[in-house]
Amino acid sequence: MDNLQTKETINYITELVLKEVTSLGFKLQKERNKVPVSISARHLHLNREHLDLLFGIGYELTKVKDISQPGQFAAEEKVTLVGSRGRIDNVRVLGPLREETQVEISATDARVLGIEPIVRNSGNHEGTPGLVIVGPKGILNLKRGCIVVERHIHMTPEDAVNFGVSDGQKVCVKVDSIRGGILDNVFVRVQKDFALDMHIDVDDSNAFLIKNGDMLEILK
């Protein structure tokens, strides 16, 4: 083999290696941009006053299992939600207790209840509708705090650096499924005690055929 042929062979092999390395780098970067997803069914968070009203003075929630975020859990306790048009039974309470009661439903649930579906970040209750909550010991006429929660991603500050995002930023997330697509306006929430997890509601899950534990890609 002469020098020209040797040079051409080396160039060809080098080109193949560079393509493979580039492809591998793209795949690794894509994997690094993925987050696990959890599907949030309708539920509510109660404050101390409202827990006492619905379940009895001094009542304590009974933990059934931990959920994705550290310190939070699904409780055994359930209530009934009542709106102007309908009701939804067996809505689970999540713990621990919060400073302000919040009911989280899907847009479909809102229509069943006869409530205007207001999309808000958790904790932002200004201008949101209320509803009636029926517990085993009492009835609560909640004035506000019933929301369709914004799609959001929990992450630590280290995660935020790795993904190149910041607290409060909104990103796009790609869904690879038979009915895949792009989820817009996904709110990034950064806190040191968070666990990396994206939360969507049942409506989004059904529309895109997403399952718990699926890995979705942040596009930004």
PDB file of all heavy atoms in Angstrom, residues 102-124:
ATOM      1  N   GLN A 102     -55.079  23.442  49.802  1.00  0.00           N
ATOM      2  CA  GLN A 102     -55.031  23.512  48.338  1.00  0.00           C
ATOM      3  C   GLN A 102     -55.610  22.229  47.755  1.00  0.00           C
ATOM      4  O   GLN A 102     -55.221  21.127  48.137  1.00  0.00           O
ATOM      5  CB  GLN A 102     -53.586  23.691  47.863  1.00  0.00           C
ATOM      6  CG  GLN A 102     -53.410  23.691  46.350  1.00  0.00           C
ATOM      7  CD  GLN A 102     -52.001  24.060  45.960  1.00  0.00           C
ATOM      8  OE1 GLN A 102     -51.578  25.215  46.127  1.00  0.00           O
ATOM      9  NE2 GLN A 102     -51.241  23.101  45.448  1.00  0.00           N
ATOM     10  N   VAL A 103     -56.525  22.385  46.808  1.00  0.00           N
ATOM     11  CA  VAL A 103     -57.133  21.256  46.102  1.00  0.00           C
ATOM     12  C   VAL A 103     -56.586  21.247  44.680  1.00  0.00           C
ATOM     13  O   VAL A 103     -56.652  22.262  43.976  1.00  0.00           O
ATOM     14  CB  VAL A 103     -58.671  21.371  46.069  1.00  0.00           C
ATOM     15  CG1 VAL A 103     -59.282  20.199  45.314  1.00  0.00           C
ATOM     16  CG2 VAL A 103     -59.224  21.451  47.481  1.00  0.00           C
ATOM     17  N   GLU A 104     -56.038  20.112  44.247  1.00  0.00           N
ATOM     18  CA  GLU A 104     -55.437  20.002  42.925  1.00  0.00           C
ATOM     19  C   GLU A 104     -56.237  19.011  42.081  1.00  0.00           C
ATOM     20  O   GLU A 104     -56.329  17.828  42.413  1.00  0.00           O
ATOM     21  CB  GLU A 104     -53.979  19.557  43.037  1.00  0.00           C
ATOM     22  CG  GLU A 104     -53.132  20.526  43.857  1.00  0.00           C
ATOM     23  CD  GLU A 104     -51.676  20.113  43.953  1.00  0.00           C
ATOM     24  OE1 GLU A 104     -51.212  19.354  43.083  1.00  0.00           O
ATOM     25  OE2 GLU A 104     -51.008  20.538  44.936  1.00  0.00           O
ATOM     26  N   ILE A 105     -56.819  19.516  40.994  1.00  0.00           N
ATOM     27  CA  ILE A 105     -57.656  18.706  40.121  1.00  0.00           C
ATOM     28  C   ILE A 105     -57.215  18.904  38.674  1.00  0.00           C
ATOM     29  O   ILE A 105     -56.391  19.781  38.371  1.00  0.00           O
ATOM     30  CB  ILE A 105     -59.144  19.085  40.265  1.00  0.00           C
ATOM     31  CG1 ILE A 105     -59.354  20.570  39.913  1.00  0.00           C
ATOM     32  CG2 ILE A 105     -59.638  18.783  41.675  1.00  0.00           C
ATOM     33  CD1 ILE A 105     -60.802  21.015  39.930  1.00  0.00           C
ATOM     34  N   SER A 106     -57.753  18.100  37.783  1.00  0.00           N
ATOM     35  CA  SER A 106     -57.496  18.275  36.355  1.00  0.00           C
ATOM     36  C   SER A 106     -58.589  19.158  35.758  1.00  0.00           C
ATOM     37  O   SER A 106     -59.620  19.425  36.393  1.00  0.00           O
ATOM     38  CB  SER A 106     -57.490  16.917  35.643  1.00  0.00           C
ATOM     39  OG  SER A 106     -58.800  16.368  35.628  1.00  0.00           O
ATOM     40  N   ALA A 107     -58.380  19.598  34.522  1.00  0.00           N
ATOM     41  CA  ALA A 107     -59.408  20.393  33.843  1.00  0.00           C
ATOM     42  C   ALA A 107     -60.678  19.571  33.652  1.00  0.00           C
ATOM     43  O   ALA A 107     -61.789  20.101  33.736  1.00  0.00           O
ATOM     44  CB  ALA A 107     -58.872  20.886  32.499  1.00  0.00           C
ATOM     45  N   THR A 108     -60.518  18.275  33.400  1.00  0.00           N
ATOM     46  CA  THR A 108     -61.685  17.393  33.270  1.00  0.00           C
ATOM     47  C   THR A 108     -62.462  17.335  34.573  1.00  0.00           C
ATOM     48  O   THR A 108     -63.704  17.410  34.583  1.00  0.00           O
ATOM     49  CB  THR A 108     -61.239  15.979  32.862  1.00  0.00           C
ATOM     50  OG1 THR A 108     -60.587  16.044  31.587  1.00  0.00           O
ATOM     51  CG2 THR A 108     -62.433  15.042  32.763  1.00  0.00           C
ATOM     52  N   ASP A 109     -61.741  17.213  35.704  1.00  0.00           N
ATOM     53  CA  ASP A 109     -62.398  17.222  37.009  1.00  0.00           C
ATOM     54  C   ASP A 109     -63.165  18.525  37.228  1.00  0.00           C
ATOM     55  O   ASP A 109     -64.282  18.522  37.774  1.00  0.00           O
ATOM     56  CB  ASP A 109     -61.364  17.076  38.134  1.00  0.00           C
ATOM     57  CG  ASP A 109     -60.696  15.712  38.161  1.00  0.00           C
ATOM     58  OD1 ASP A 109     -61.311  14.731  37.695  1.00  0.00           O
ATOM     59  OD2 ASP A 109     -59.555  15.637  38.654  1.00  0.00           O
ATOM     60  N   ALA A 110     -62.565  19.631  36.828  1.00  0.00           N
ATOM     61  CA  ALA A 110     -63.195  20.937  37.018  1.00  0.00           C
ATOM     62  C   ALA A 110     -64.535  21.003  36.289  1.00  0.00           C
ATOM     63  O   ALA A 110     -65.522  21.538  36.818  1.00  0.00           O
ATOM     64  CB  ALA A 110     -62.263  22.049  36.523  1.00  0.00           C
ATOM     65  N   ARG A 111     -64.581  20.442  35.106  1.00  0.00           N
ATOM     66  CA  ARG A 111     -65.836  20.452  34.341  1.00  0.00           C
ATOM     67  C   ARG A 111     -66.876  19.554  35.000  1.00  0.00           C
ATOM     68  O   ARG A 111     -68.067  19.867  34.999  1.00  0.00           O
ATOM     69  CB  ARG A 111     -65.563  20.030  32.904  1.00  0.00           C
ATOM     70  CG  ARG A 111     -64.711  21.039  32.148  1.00  0.00           C
ATOM     71  CD  ARG A 111     -64.549  20.693  30.678  1.00  0.00           C
ATOM     72  NE  ARG A 111     -63.709  21.688  30.014  1.00  0.00           N
ATOM     73  CZ  ARG A 111     -62.409  21.568  29.821  1.00  0.00           C
ATOM     74  NH1 ARG A 111     -61.793  20.470  30.236  1.00  0.00           N
ATOM     75  NH2 ARG A 111     -61.722  22.508  29.225  1.00  0.00           N
ATOM     76  N   VAL A 112     -66.456  18.433  35.537  1.00  0.00           N
ATOM     77  CA  VAL A 112     -67.373  17.551  36.262  1.00  0.00           C
ATOM     78  C   VAL A 112     -67.984  18.276  37.454  1.00  0.00           C
ATOM     79  O   VAL A 112     -69.189  18.185  37.725  1.00  0.00           O
ATOM     80  CB  VAL A 112     -66.643  16.265  36.738  1.00  0.00           C
ATOM     81  CG1 VAL A 112     -67.531  15.467  37.698  1.00  0.00           C
ATOM     82  CG2 VAL A 112     -66.250  15.400  35.552  1.00  0.00           C
ATOM     83  N   LEU A 113     -67.152  19.039  38.169  1.00  0.00           N
ATOM     84  CA  LEU A 113     -67.599  19.752  39.358  1.00  0.00           C
ATOM     85  C   LEU A 113     -68.363  21.033  39.044  1.00  0.00           C
ATOM     86  O   LEU A 113     -69.101  21.539  39.885  1.00  0.00           O
ATOM     87  CB  LEU A 113     -66.391  20.093  40.237  1.00  0.00           C
ATOM     88  CG  LEU A 113     -65.658  18.910  40.868  1.00  0.00           C
ATOM     89  CD1 LEU A 113     -64.315  19.358  41.434  1.00  0.00           C
ATOM     90  CD2 LEU A 113     -66.508  18.265  41.953  1.00  0.00           C
ATOM     91  N   GLY A 114     -68.176  21.562  37.829  1.00  0.00           N
ATOM     92  CA  GLY A 114     -68.779  22.841  37.491  1.00  0.00           C
ATOM     93  C   GLY A 114     -67.958  24.016  37.964  1.00  0.00           C
ATOM     94  O   GLY A 114     -68.484  25.073  38.329  1.00  0.00           O
ATOM     95  N   ILE A 115     -66.620  23.830  37.948  1.00  0.00           N
ATOM     96  CA  ILE A 115     -65.690  24.863  38.412  1.00  0.00           C
ATOM     97  C   ILE A 115     -64.831  25.324  37.234  1.00  0.00           C
ATOM     98  O   ILE A 115     -64.405  24.508  36.413  1.00  0.00           O
ATOM     99  CB  ILE A 115     -64.779  24.300  39.520  1.00  0.00           C
ATOM    100  CG1 ILE A 115     -65.593  23.975  40.767  1.00  0.00           C
ATOM    101  CG2 ILE A 115     -63.651  25.280  39.871  1.00  0.00           C
ATOM    102  CD1 ILE A 115     -64.814  23.244  41.821  1.00  0.00           C
ATOM    103  N   GLU A 116     -64.592  26.630  37.153  1.00  0.00           N
ATOM    104  CA  GLU A 116     -63.696  27.128  36.111  1.00  0.00           C
ATOM    105  C   GLU A 116     -62.283  26.617  36.372  1.00  0.00           C
ATOM    106  O   GLU A 116     -61.740  26.818  37.457  1.00  0.00           O
ATOM    107  CB  GLU A 116     -63.694  28.645  36.084  1.00  0.00           C
ATOM    108  CG  GLU A 116     -62.829  29.223  34.973  1.00  0.00           C
ATOM    109  CD  GLU A 116     -62.800  30.733  34.983  1.00  0.00           C
ATOM    110  OE1 GLU A 116     -63.466  31.344  35.839  1.00  0.00           O
ATOM    111  OE2 GLU A 116     -62.092  31.307  34.124  1.00  0.00           O
ATOM    112  N   PRO A 117     -61.666  25.933  35.370  1.00  0.00           N
ATOM    113  CA  PRO A 117     -60.307  25.411  35.591  1.00  0.00           C
ATOM    114  C   PRO A 117     -59.261  26.524  35.524  1.00  0.00           C
ATOM    115  O   PRO A 117     -58.985  27.070  34.452  1.00  0.00           O
ATOM    116  CB  PRO A 117     -60.131  24.407  34.450  1.00  0.00           C
ATOM    117  CG  PRO A 117     -61.054  24.881  33.365  1.00  0.00           C
ATOM    118  CD  PRO A 117     -62.200  25.566  34.051  1.00  0.00           C
ATOM    119  N   ILE A 118     -58.687  26.874  36.660  1.00  0.00           N
ATOM    120  CA  ILE A 118     -57.671  27.917  36.738  1.00  0.00           C
ATOM    121  C   ILE A 118     -56.305  27.249  36.898  1.00  0.00           C
ATOM    122  O   ILE A 118     -56.068  26.522  37.858  1.00  0.00           O
ATOM    123  CB  ILE A 118     -57.918  28.862  37.932  1.00  0.00           C
ATOM    124  CG1 ILE A 118     -59.306  29.512  37.827  1.00  0.00           C
ATOM    125  CG2 ILE A 118     -56.830  29.916  38.018  1.00  0.00           C
ATOM    126  CD1 ILE A 118     -59.464  30.447  36.660  1.00  0.00           C
ATOM    127  N   VAL A 119     -55.403  27.495  35.945  1.00  0.00           N
ATOM    128  CA  VAL A 119     -54.069  26.902  35.981  1.00  0.00           C
ATOM    129  C   VAL A 119     -53.143  27.818  36.775  1.00  0.00           C
ATOM    130  O   VAL A 119     -52.952  28.978  36.411  1.00  0.00           O
ATOM    131  CB  VAL A 119     -53.521  26.679  34.555  1.00  0.00           C
ATOM    132  CG1 VAL A 119     -52.118  26.060  34.621  1.00  0.00           C
ATOM    133  CG2 VAL A 119     -54.454  25.776  33.758  1.00  0.00           C
ATOM    134  N   ARG A 120     -52.551  27.276  37.835  1.00  0.00           N
ATOM    135  CA  ARG A 120     -51.680  28.074  38.689  1.00  0.00           C
ATOM    136  C   ARG A 120     -50.521  27.226  39.208  1.00  0.00           C
ATOM    137  O   ARG A 120     -50.625  26.002  39.315  1.00  0.00           O
ATOM    138  CB  ARG A 120     -52.450  28.610  39.898  1.00  0.00           C
ATOM    139  CG  ARG A 120     -53.445  29.702  39.572  1.00  0.00           C
ATOM    140  CD  ARG A 120     -52.746  31.007  39.191  1.00  0.00           C
ATOM    141  NE  ARG A 120     -53.701  32.013  38.783  1.00  0.00           N
ATOM    142  CZ  ARG A 120     -54.385  32.768  39.620  1.00  0.00           C
ATOM    143  NH1 ARG A 120     -54.222  32.627  40.923  1.00  0.00           N
ATOM    144  NH2 ARG A 120     -55.237  33.662  39.176  1.00  0.00           N
ATOM    145  N   ASN A 121     -49.437  27.911  39.556  1.00  0.00           N
ATOM    146  CA  ASN A 121     -48.365  27.248  40.270  1.00  0.00           C
ATOM    147  C   ASN A 121     -48.830  26.993  41.705  1.00  0.00           C
ATOM    148  O   ASN A 121     -49.625  27.747  42.261  1.00  0.00           O
ATOM    149  CB  ASN A 121     -47.116  28.125  40.264  1.00  0.00           C
ATOM    150  CG  ASN A 121     -45.888  27.393  40.752  1.00  0.00           C
ATOM    151  OD1 ASN A 121     -45.799  26.163  40.660  1.00  0.00           O
ATOM    152  ND2 ASN A 121     -44.936  28.123  41.287  1.00  0.00           N
ATOM    153  N   SER A 122     -48.335  25.924  42.290  1.00  0.00           N
ATOM    154  CA  SER A 122     -48.728  25.558  43.647  1.00  0.00           C
ATOM    155  C   SER A 122     -48.494  26.720  44.608  1.00  0.00           C
ATOM    156  O   SER A 122     -47.439  27.354  44.594  1.00  0.00           O
ATOM    157  CB  SER A 122     -47.936  24.336  44.106  1.00  0.00           C
ATOM    158  OG  SER A 122     -48.286  23.959  45.419  1.00  0.00           O
ATOM    159  N   GLY A 123     -49.500  27.005  45.431  1.00  0.00           N
ATOM    160  CA  GLY A 123     -49.397  28.079  46.413  1.00  0.00           C
ATOM    161  C   GLY A 123     -49.938  29.416  45.944  1.00  0.00           C
ATOM    162  O   GLY A 123     -50.153  30.310  46.768  1.00  0.00           O
ATOM    163  N   ASN A 124     -50.175  29.577  44.656  1.00  0.00           N
ATOM    164  CA  ASN A 124     -50.707  30.825  44.118  1.00  0.00           C
ATOM    165  C   ASN A 124     -52.228  30.707  44.019  1.00  0.00           C
ATOM    166  O   ASN A 124     -52.760  30.191  43.044  1.00  0.00           O
ATOM    167  CB  ASN A 124     -50.094  31.110  42.744  1.00  0.00           C
ATOM    168  CG  ASN A 124     -50.596  32.415  42.147  1.00  0.00           C
ATOM    169  OD1 ASN A 124     -51.357  33.159  42.777  1.00  0.00           O
ATOM    170  ND2 ASN A 124     -50.181  32.699  40.923  1.00  0.00           N
TER     171      ASN A 124
END
